[in-house]
Amino acid sequence: MDSLTQKIRELASSILKEGTVDMVMGFAEGTLPMTSKPYMARTPEQADKFIWDSSCTMNLANYITGRKEKIGVIAKGCDSRNIVNHIVENKISRDQLYIIGVPCSGMTDKNRPDHLRDNCLTCTHKNPVIYDVLAAELIEEQKIEAPFADVKAIEAMEPNAKWSYFQDLLKNCIRCYACRNACPLCYCPKCFVDESGPQWVGKGQNETDIQTFHFLRAFHCAGRCTDCGACESACPMDIHVRAFTRKLNKDALDLFGWEAGLDMTKRPPLDTFNPDDPDDFIK
Amino acid sequence: MANLFEHMGMEKERLQFSWISSAEAGKFVNVATEVANSVEALGPIDKFVKKID
């Protein structure tokens, strides 16, 4: 067993023993080799199930939404940013959380276990932004020359080429909503796609309905997405769903100088008004 | 939203924003004409249109 897994188990079991928290959220071994699943330990013995490896792709902030207990949560860089989002959006209070920060060197692509995921390659927040205790030393953040090269490549296309790119991107979508369910931002009690009165969007495999789902789901993440990649890791059809949210992240950075989930004291840009907000789109 | 719309391949003229007071009849006419003309120049839309057979 590697030292990080050992350390996480020790920290988790000690806070459970001391009664600091009612449960600890982390990862346990999945049902298939090289996979992991979210796991909630309520006793110090259960803490021995925790693992830490490069398959811990899911975002644990997804599971703390609206919980009432005191929770210990194991957080890599992106999880910690989503925890900040949750605190800012009043989905959980900081006092309820005991965050075990894990500096993350990237998670692997589920289809290419010798490669890092795309979003990990461009990640500039490997270290957790908030934590109560660290399971390992902080690591050096990487500097990315052109963080949004992929978005710029699409931006440079003609409108029709863009449209065919997205048509092609979504052609395999089976609307299982795994991307939505894995996403820590998607916590609405009732999602617009599940609503039946009014029915905002058709529920079948119609191409336009699929496009509408992806377009609107992405837009709900504007200024909130941390590019944690849980959506893509969860997708059984290997759809590059981040193609949408990446554009929104780039806009949030360009227009508002904003990266989500870095500061608990700041309101997200789409949630506040500032007289300096860009307004050249209004005639 | 307009940016994501454009990113997906919709022509940007199809989604326009304006702020017009009820006292600005002239501005309303101008903007409406401009929008109508720019959309007319693009022709009928074939993207994001649900076809029901």
Side-chain angles (χ1 to χ4, degrees), chain A:
Chain A
M1 189 189 348
D2 75 294
S3 60
L4 197 50
T5 299
Q6 184 66 39
K7 182 80 182 156
I8 287 171
R9 289 180 187 179
E10 277 167 24
L11 287 168
S13 108
S14 78
I15 52 170
L16 282 165
K17 227 176 263 167
E18 289 160 13
T20 320
V21 296
D22 303 321
M23 63 146 123
V24 178
M25 284 188 193
F27 294 96
E29 225 162 271
T31 44
L32 294 169
M34 303 190 69
T35 59
S36 67
K37 62 181 179 195
Y39 181 72
M40 294 159 201
R42 289 179 183 272
T43 63
E45 294 71 46
Q46 287 174 338
D48 279 343
K49 286 222 174 168
F50 285 137
I51 57 152
W52 188 265
D53 60 21
S54 63
S55 73
C56 300
T57 51
M58 292 290 107
N59 192 325
L60 294 176
N62 194 20
Y63 307 98
I64 62 172
T65 316
R67 295 200 82 104
K68 304 286 179 241
E69 312 96 314
K70 276 214 79 171
I71 304 169
V73 56
I74 293 160
K76 48 189 185 289
C78 43
D79 299 39
S80 75
R81 290 174 66 193
N82 279 102
I83 292 172
V84 170
N85 266 341
H86 266 56
I87 297 170
V88 168
E89 295 172 3
N90 294 324
K91 283 292 134 194
I92 195 140
S93 78
R94 179 68 182 90
D95 315 333
Q96 265 175 283
L97 296 171
Y98 186 88
I99 303 166
I100 302 175
V102 184
C104 165
S105 45
M107 295 294 155
T108 48
D109 191 319
K110 63 178 188 286
N111 298 316
R112 298 181 303 162
D114 52 339
H115 285 72
L116 284 184
R117 295 186 297 172
D118 278 357
N119 60 310
C120 296
L121 289 174
T122 53
C123 172
T124 52
H125 300 282
K126 293 166 179 288
N127 292 313
V129 293
I130 47 166
Y131 50 83
D132 294 294
V133 63
L134 277 176
E137 296 283 308
L138 293 176
I139 52 174
E140 198 184 335
E141 297 287 0
Q142 56 178 349
K143 296 250 181 319
I144 306 282
E145 290 287 319
F148 290 108
D150 52 336
V151 184
K152 285 187 181 143
I154 302 175
E155 279 172 354
M157 292 180 189
E158 290 295 309
N160 285 333
K162 286 180 184 170
W163 184 250
S164 15
Y165 172 83
F166 283 103
Q167 256 182 328
D168 194 51
L169 188 79
L170 299 177
K171 67 175 191 295
N172 290 331
C173 178
I174 55 171
R175 286 188 84 175
C176 64
Y177 301 140
C179 48
R180 177 197 71 182
N181 291 358
C183 179
L185 304 174
C186 282
Y187 56 65
C188 290
K190 191 152 200 180
C191 178
F192 73 99
V193 289
D194 295 329
E195 190 80 62
S196 54
Q199 182 176 307
W200 304 107
V201 55
K203 296 177 189 303
Q205 279 301 105
N206 178 285
E207 195 189 10
T208 309
D209 289 333
I210 292 176
Q211 288 156 354
T212 309
F213 159 60
H214 283 279
F215 176 72
L216 285 177
R217 191 194 87 80
F219 196 66
H220 288 171
C221 304
R224 303 166 68 222
C225 175
T226 59
D227 208 18
C228 72
C231 46
E232 259 179 41
S233 296
C235 180
M237 303 306 285
D238 298 326
I239 296 167
H240 175 42
V241 280
R242 284 170 47 250
F244 298 90
T245 46
R246 294 272 298 157
K247 164 67 176 164
L248 294 163
N249 290 356
K250 177 174 178 286
D251 283 353
L253 190 64
D254 292 351
L255 299 172
F256 304 102
W258 175 261
E259 282 183 287
L262 296 185
D263 191 341
M264 277 200 294
T265 60
K266 288 196 185 126
R267 298 300 307 175
L270 294 191
D271 176 282
T272 47
F273 171 72
N274 183 333
D276 300 329
D277 283 345
D279 59 359
D280 28 313
F281 64 97
I282 296 176
K283 284 195 196 164

Side-chain angles (χ1 to χ4, degrees), chain B residues 2-19:
Chain B
N3 286 359
L4 185 62
F5 208 55
E6 193 190 339
H7 195 63
M8 275 186 82
M10 310 300 280
E11 295 83 355
K12 65 175 186 296
E13 293 81 4
R14 294 200 192 270
L15 183 60
Q16 303 188 24
F17 295 84
S18 188
W19 177 263

